[in-house]
Amino acid sequence: MLEILDYLKDHVLMINLLIITIYLGFEVISKVPTVLHTPLMSGSNAISGIVIIGAIILVRQADATDYLTLGLGALGVVLGTINVVGGHAVTNRMLEMFKKK
Amino acid sequence: MQYIELLYIVSTVLLIIGLRKLSSPSTARNGNVIAALGMGSAIFVAIFSPMANDQGNLLYIFGAIAIGSIIGLVYSKKVEMTGIPELVSVFNGFGGACAVSISILEAYKFDAASSYGLMATTYMALFIGGVAFTGSLIAYGKLAGKVKDWRSGISSYFNLAWLALCLGLIVFQVANPTAYAYLPLVILVVSLIYGLTFVWPIGGADMPVVISLLNALTGIAAALAGMVYGNMVMLLGGVLVGSSGAILTVLMCQAMNRSLINVVVGGFGASASAAATDQGDIKETTANDTAIMMRYAQNVMVIPGYGMAVAQAQKACKELDKSLTSRGVNVNYAIHPVAGRMPGHMNVLLAEADVPYNKLIDLDDANSMLTDTDVCLVVGANDVVNPSALDDPGSPIYGMPVLEILNSKNVVVLKRGMSKGYSGIENPLFFHDKTKMLFGDAKDTIETLNNEVKVMD
């Protein structure tokens, strides 16, 4: 119990931010028209690829001989990049069709 | 060091602005570009910022980014618009897998001195990322028709027990981090299996909800990983996706008038054979009759479904629309929020065929317009027009808001045969007095209708 309280105390700023961001996420999306649900889902899916940053940090800090970390970390970077680049590209393709002609 | 934090803040702001702009039709494209810029700058900082214990290894990073970019770009260019839900699902799975790969590596760095909070966060990222990964792959398989529905009476109990096992293992591992060296791997495997068994029993018609839910889970996994690294842009980006995904999931459940629990535990298709009795006769009609009816109608409402997209009939439909409109007929499209394989998927498919989006009428407005509609043309839609939702308490979709097309004067259903829809639910609409069936491939039929309309003057 004490550990949990300590953890909360140490991360109080982060937890505050967390709550505000959750609220922000709800606010940003709550009035979105149906017409945009698919592009929005695809776009926000691309944003979830932000986890790639963790993989990059991991690879940067890996020893040159630690092939497990290098390999798995690089695989993480590949997968994350597919999510980010592919996600934004396909969202853009969809949204191009909504352009006024 | 401060300028790094500053750049991360700029990235976070770009992500928030991007997501905000993505939710309005006129600014959506800019929004996507802005969000991509935010991602780009965050990745740039992650690669080039000074870092404690930096070993370089930039070659690995650049190589991986190059490979990932090529794969991502090729698939996003190649995909058909009907295949978008599958692709989004796969991409989402990869995001989950990325979270898995980093959290399993982090898990093996722990020792007896590691903080409980950090360990718990890492294992939750591992678990949620794993569920999002295999769950998304199953969702992909189902959408692509490669994985059949599987369900048994015990699947929900099994899943609950498996979930409890998973969480129990995580609690045990956090309390005894050095007891068993292989336990993180066991947690990984159990999480991956849970993702499979969690999504597998969920019926086809519920896939949109599931994809949105899995999307939210990947966001949460990313946010948890952000807490592990104490990285704000990961945390905030992940939370944004998590909370916006959650609200989309709720909106979709509302559109189907069901609770999330009901989608995850229950599901369509289980009791689908309930209303199979006393169907009455069907009435077939010809393209010629239908064309005449539409040509002399005042208001025509097209009800598109996934069947239209599969038959690639959107463009033919747009041509028919043009012919009818030039002859003074008012043509609109009634779009049910869960038509297609993803919420809003139908809008994308019609946008591809250049149907102006002020002709796309959403559920409530369409229902009030249907009383003045002379002809409803149902093209490859089943469940979203099923009247059982309104009047048959025994039906699995009872209570789901549907397009009440029987309020219009005439209903013509374009269909290849009498097969059931994606959800496998019987549709009494096809046997109703007001309904006429026009069998054939939707694209050919609509082209024939168009030719008939054109020769009428």
Side-chain angles (χ1 to χ4, degrees):
Chain A
M1 196 58 210
L2 211 62
E3 279 93 356
I4 298 175
L5 279 179
D6 275 348
Y7 185 74
L8 292 182
K9 209 171 71 194
D10 291 346
H11 295 85
V12 80
L13 185 69
M14 218 168 206
I15 291 162
N16 268 311
L17 257 173
L18 201 67
I19 295 166
I20 294 169
T21 317
I22 291 171
Y23 183 72
L24 191 69
F26 279 121
E27 274 303 296
V28 163
I29 298 304
S30 55
K31 288 174 205 78
V32 56
T34 335
V35 54
L36 282 177
H37 277 180
T38 294
L40 182 71
M41 216 195 260
S42 162
S44 74
N45 181 27
I47 294 176
S48 70
I50 192 79
V51 68
I52 188 184
I53 289 176
I56 291 172
I57 294 173
L58 204 68
V59 173
R60 282 188 63 183
Q61 294 182 338
D63 283 333
T65 51
D66 183 358
Y67 294 113
L68 179 71
T69 305
L70 284 174
L72 257 184
L75 179 68
V77 176
V78 171
L79 293 168
T81 312
I82 296 175
N83 192 359
V84 172
V85 174
H88 282 301
V90 82
T91 308
N92 192 55
R93 243 188 89 192
M94 269 187 267
L95 291 170
E96 260 173 11
M97 299 181 316
F98 286 101
K99 224 173 9 188
K100 288 202 179 74
K101 277 139 195 145
Chain B
M1 281 302 262
Q2 275 85 358
Y3 71 94
I4 295 162
E5 291 304 321
L6 193 67
L7 272 174
Y8 270 142
I9 293 172
V10 170
S11 309
T12 310
V13 171
L14 289 175
L15 290 182
I16 295 171
I17 296 174
L19 195 63
R20 175 76 192 92
K21 286 183 180 272
L22 259 173
S23 54
S24 162
S26 53
T27 56
R29 273 193 90 199
N30 284 336
N32 186 45
V33 173
I34 290 171
L37 280 176
M39 294 294 296
S41 65
I43 291 171
F44 181 85
V45 176
I47 296 175
F48 293 107
S49 61
M51 181 180 289
N53 192 27
D54 186 9
Q55 309 289 326
N57 297 324
L58 286 182
L59 214 59
Y60 285 91
I61 295 172
F62 288 130
I65 288 179
I67 295 170
S69 303
I70 292 169
I71 298 175
L73 283 175
V74 166
Y75 279 94
S76 61
K77 290 278 173 286
K78 239 173 61 174
V79 65
E80 298 268 348
M81 282 299 139
T82 45
I84 291 278
E86 285 101 302
L87 192 75
V88 170
S89 192
V90 171
F91 284 167
N92 184 47
F94 287 169
C98 181
V100 168
S101 70
I102 64 178
S103 44
I104 190 75
L105 286 170
E106 289 298 327
Y108 275 101
K109 290 183 183 169
F110 294 140
D111 52 38
S114 304
S115 97
Y116 290 127
L118 187 67
M119 285 193 285
T121 312
T122 307
Y123 284 109
M124 284 312 285
L126 177 67
F127 168 60
I128 296 176
V131 172
F133 174 49
T134 48
S136 298
L137 291 190
I138 289 293
Y140 158 77
K142 287 193 157 203
L143 289 164
K146 290 178 180 148
V147 174
K148 292 271 166 287
D149 283 2
W150 161 86
R151 112 187 338 272
S152 80
I154 59 154
S155 58
S156 45
Y157 299 105
F158 174 84
N159 279 340
L160 277 177
W162 201 258
L163 175 64
L165 170 69
C166 214
L167 297 177
L169 282 173
I170 290 174
V171 171
F172 178 85
Q173 173 65 17
V174 170
N176 313 281
T178 51
Y180 301 99
Y182 56 83
L183 211 55
L185 281 180
V186 175
I187 294 172
L188 170 65
V189 172
V190 171
S191 306
L192 293 176
I193 293 176
Y194 180 65
L196 297 177
T197 59
F198 162 65
V199 175
W200 218 316
I202 300 175
D206 286 330
M207 280 340 265
V209 182
V210 176
I211 293 179
S212 173
L213 184 65
L214 292 168
N215 188 20
L217 286 182
T218 310
I220 293 167
L224 289 168
M227 290 193 83
V228 173
Y229 287 89
N231 184 300
M232 284 297 168
V233 70
M234 276 170 85
L235 174 76
L236 299 180
V239 172
L240 272 181
V241 176
S243 60
S244 63
I247 198 111
L248 262 183
T249 310
V250 170
L251 284 176
M252 264 173 261
C253 285
Q254 279 171 357
M256 297 160 57
N257 194 30
R258 301 172 62 211
S259 71
L260 187 57
I261 303 276
N262 187 266
V263 169
V264 172
V265 181
F268 290 160
S271 55
S273 58
T277 51
D278 189 27
Q279 296 170 336
D281 299 321
I282 58 159
K283 285 178 291 297
E284 249 192 279
T285 185
T286 60
N288 183 262
D289 282 348
T290 309
I292 293 171
M293 201 156 75
M294 288 197 297
R295 166 69 181 83
Y296 296 102
Q298 215 158 34
N299 297 304
V300 169
M301 188 70 86
V302 180
I303 325 282
Y306 189 70
M308 171 193 260
V310 172
Q312 293 288 321
Q314 312 89 301
K315 294 198 171 71
C317 199
K318 155 88 188 172
E319 291 304 309
L320 173 64
D321 173 352
K322 228 160 78 187
S323 305
L324 287 169
T325 307
S326 69
R327 288 164 178 81
V329 183
N330 202 358
V331 183
N332 286 297
Y333 300 75
I335 316 287
H336 192 279
V338 295
R341 287 293 188 266
M342 207 175 187
H345 191 200
M346 216 62 238
N347 303 81
V348 173
L349 297 169
L350 291 170
E352 191 191 12
D354 289 338
V355 175
Y357 83 57
N358 57 10
K359 283 189 165 216
L360 309 181
I361 315 291
D362 65 18
L363 181 70
D364 291 333
D365 292 336
N367 273 340
S368 57
M369 284 167 75
L370 280 166
T371 44
D372 290 323
T373 298
D374 304 294
V375 185
C376 271
L377 196 67
V378 182
V379 191
N382 277 296
D383 303 321
V384 298
V385 291
N386 193 332
S388 320
L390 303 170
D391 57 18
D392 176 8
S395 167
I397 58 167
Y398 182 66
M400 171 174 140
V402 288
L403 291 162
E404 297 165 20
I405 60 171
L406 285 173
N407 290 339
S408 70
K409 297 188 183 73
N410 297 283
V411 175
V412 178
V413 177
L414 266 56
K415 226 168 145 12
R416 268 187 314 209
M418 287 304 291
S419 65
K420 290 173 191 166
Y422 194 50
S423 71
I425 299 167
E426 201 67 58
N427 193 344
L429 173 77
F430 304 149
F431 308 99
H432 194 273
D433 285 344
K434 250 182 198 172
T435 308
K436 293 185 188 69
M437 305 296 291
L438 187 51
F439 291 113
D441 174 79
K443 190 177 175 206
D444 298 342
T445 311
I446 292 173
E447 278 167 359
T448 316
L449 284 174
N450 191 19
N451 293 335
E452 299 270 359
V453 169
K454 277 184 187 158
V455 297
M456 252 178 260
D457 348 73

